[in-house]
Amino acid sequence: MEAKTALAIALGLALGLPYLTVALMQGGRFGFLAVGVLFIGAFLLVVISDLRESDVSGETPKSD
């Protein structure tokens, strides 16, 4: 993952997720489920982007 992408994701999560979490937690059982899905989604986003980066960086460039 590029540094700029990681910083943008971290900044967005740090600024937006607390407010979204409080809003959803006030919504009852659906809110708890939604918060769980958000955290799992954020985790999977980081893992998948890291796996993609390792696949791309593992390829050797062809020389002509």
Side-chain angles (χ1 to χ4, degrees):
M1 180 181 296
E2 294 182 20
K4 289 181 182 180
T5 305
L7 181 62
I9 290 171
L11 188 63
L13 289 174
L15 295 177
L17 199 56
Y19 297 108
L20 185 61
T21 302
V22 170
L24 290 173
M25 296 278 271
Q26 291 178 355
R29 183 171 288 177
F30 173 74
F32 289 117
L33 179 66
V35 169
V37 169
L38 283 173
F39 279 106
I40 291 171
F43 176 76
L44 289 176
L45 174 70
V46 172
V47 170
I48 290 171
S49 65
D50 190 44
L51 288 175
R52 284 186 183 171
E53 180 180 308
S54 67
D55 287 344
V56 171
S57 64
E59 297 175 356
T60 56
K62 295 180 182 179
S63 59
D64 292 317

